[in-house]
Amino acid sequence: MSEVTIRPFHIDVPQADVDDLRERLGRTRWAAQLPGEPWTRGVPTDYLRKLAQRWATTYDWRAAEAALNAHPQFVADVDGQPVHFLHVTSPEPDATPLVLLHGWPGSVVEFSRVIGPLSDPRAHGLDPAQAFHLVVPSLPGFGWSTPLAGAGWDSNRMAQAISRLMAALGYERYGAQGGDFGAFVAPDLGRVDPDHVIGVHVNAATFGFIPWGEVSEEELATLTDVERARIDRLNHYQAEQTGYFQVQSTRPQTIAAALADSPAGQLAWVVEKFQEWTSADAALPEDAVPVDELLTNVSLYWFTNTAGTSANIYYEAMHAGSWPSPSGVPTGVAVFGQDVAIRRYAEQAHTIVHWSDFDEGGHFAAMETPDLLVQDVRAFFGGLTA
């Protein structure tokens, strides 16, 4: 393996690209609205038009770009694979190194409101004894962690690359936190680098934290009301919400052709998931997450032209042909209002030492309920070092 090299990075999207985005949005050919209740057949055309208009007019990419650039950024070369990351060191000398890992359709933007409290708790009225040096990578295939260096970038290989990055940064002991696909990569970090990973914390966890296959009536009878509600949510997802999964896990290159050419299409592809996976109390995605943070997240996909390379994680996951081995690394799980993880199933493959159930929030916890996520991360890692 070659040496990991690291160079500074600064986001600077050409103005021509910003102008092109606005021009494309302005001449979108809109689909006719299908009959039926709103959202049951996908993103309503009227809603999408209004959101696209905001993206093209009042949304300020340059302000979002400046906010991202306020954090030190770098790109590492790990065996030919670019890995973009934010590196926010804590002012607290005894801070614990921590990797924050996003999923799809997320990005490093997800962590904008947790970076401060985690890295500088003193400035946010929190106990400075629990502080973190943060490494926030764009997963390979996402954002500026492109182009992909060949096939085979499943969660295990991503974990190997991130473990090498942490070693190159000089971190001998560190933790990992991840949601969605990050909840695949974070546990895999514990598997590939158990001598250095002190603990793994996940949210929006699925594979490895839910039953494999259908749950029998006999088994259902042993579940609590909360666990049965999660099984119902999981069944609804599998019946009504897996269209994106089937496409991205089988033909990511085909959907990339559409999304790379149409910002309205890219917006719809992402915003649908924010509608379906955020808090049940939110009527619209912007009722759950700040609308401009949502648009910044979509903008990263658009400006980096990564619809296909990000979707590719589903193809790799479904074609890896492997089942995760049990992990002995201490693992904490935060289950928010729309999540589906169930402890008895998680314990089959993970060493669960911390489990939190929250009634509120949803899939994008760092954006929806950042204070609760920060609280749970601090509690988990504080418990490991107490």
Side-chain angles (χ1 to χ4, degrees):
M1 292 185 291
S2 60
E3 180 184 357
V4 174
T5 60
I6 299 174
R7 61 179 173 84
F9 181 79
H10 185 83
I11 303 170
D12 186 15
V13 172
Q15 186 59 41
D17 291 355
V18 178
D19 294 340
D20 176 68
L21 168 62
R22 292 171 176 161
E23 191 269 335
R24 285 173 182 261
L25 288 168
R27 59 181 176 86
T28 300
R29 186 175 73 161
W30 297 100
Q33 179 60 51
L34 296 173
E37 290 295 314
W39 296 97
T40 56
R41 290 167 170 79
V43 184
T45 296
D46 287 348
Y47 172 82
L48 188 62
R49 289 186 74 154
K50 291 177 183 177
L51 191 58
Q53 183 180 29
R54 181 185 181 97
W55 197 14
T57 56
T58 60
Y59 170 74
D60 187 350
W61 163 253
R62 291 304 179 198
E65 185 179 68
L68 287 168
N69 281 330
H71 302 301
Q73 295 177 71
F74 304 86
V75 172
D77 184 300
V78 186
D79 292 333
Q81 175 60 50
V83 179
H84 162 258
F85 64 100
L86 314 182
H87 190 194
V88 182
T89 56
S90 173
E92 305 299 335
D94 297 325
T96 301
L98 178 66
V99 183
L100 297 179
L101 298 160
H102 66 82
W104 185 93
S107 67
V108 295
V109 173
E110 282 189 61
F111 300 109
S112 296
R113 289 191 289 159
V114 303
I115 286 175
L118 288 174
S119 65
D120 192 2
R122 190 187 302 270
H124 291 79
L126 300 172
D127 183 358
Q130 190 65 48
F132 300 91
H133 299 306
L134 300 177
V135 177
V136 190
S138 296
L139 293 179
F142 288 75
W144 291 277
S145 292
T146 52
L148 280 173
W153 281 95
D154 61 2
S155 64
N156 184 279
R157 188 172 177 188
M158 289 183 182
Q160 292 180 44
I162 293 167
S163 71
R164 294 196 62 210
L165 170 62
M166 295 302 284
L169 291 172
Y171 293 135
E172 295 186 359
R173 301 284 285 164
Y174 63 94
Q177 197 288 325
D180 187 85
F181 202 78
F184 288 55
V185 181
D188 274 347
L189 259 174
R191 294 183 179 98
V192 304
D193 200 15
D195 292 337
H196 301 101
V197 176
I198 63 172
V200 170
H201 182 279
V202 297
N203 66 286
T206 53
F207 183 73
F209 297 84
I210 57 175
W212 180 252
E214 190 171 342
V215 178
S216 69
E217 289 296 328
E218 293 76 14
E219 189 169 348
L220 275 174
T222 70
L223 301 182
T224 66
D225 290 344
V226 169
E227 291 171 335
R228 281 194 292 271
R230 290 175 188 167
I231 293 293
D232 288 344
R233 244 186 337 268
L234 184 59
N235 289 339
H236 174 70
Y237 164 79
Q238 291 172 334
E240 292 288 339
Q241 297 180 353
T242 58
Y244 80 99
F245 185 98
Q246 296 300 326
V247 172
Q248 296 192 158
S249 64
T250 59
R251 297 296 183 269
Q253 188 70 68
T254 302
I255 191 62
L259 302 185
D261 191 56
S262 170
Q266 177 68 88
L267 180 62
W269 198 245
V270 170
V271 79
E272 179 190 273
K273 299 302 113 189
F274 276 81
Q275 169 66 18
E276 293 177 342
W277 295 347
T278 50
S279 171
D281 295 331
L284 295 171
E286 60 267 33
D287 297 330
V289 303
V291 64
D292 282 355
E293 284 186 23
L294 173 57
L295 291 174
T296 298
N297 183 63
V298 181
S299 295
L300 257 67
Y301 283 83
W302 177 259
F303 288 132
T304 59
N305 193 12
T306 49
T309 52
S310 61
N312 188 64
I313 60 170
Y314 289 87
Y315 185 93
E316 299 292 359
M318 294 305 292
H319 292 80
S322 61
W323 180 263
S325 58
S327 171
V329 173
T331 300
V333 182
V335 188
F336 291 88
Q338 293 302 300
D339 291 341
V340 293
I342 296 175
R343 183 165 187 160
R344 66 179 70 190
Y345 302 114
E347 289 176 338
Q348 295 173 8
H350 306 276
T351 303
I352 305 296
V353 300
H354 173 96
W355 190 279
S356 298
D357 292 313
F358 297 99
D359 293 331
E360 59 188 292
H363 189 85
F364 303 95
M367 300 175 79
E368 296 181 68
T369 51
D371 291 346
L372 288 180
L373 182 63
V374 167
Q375 167 193 309
D376 206 66
V377 169
R378 286 169 55 86
F380 169 66
F381 284 101
L384 296 182
T385 56

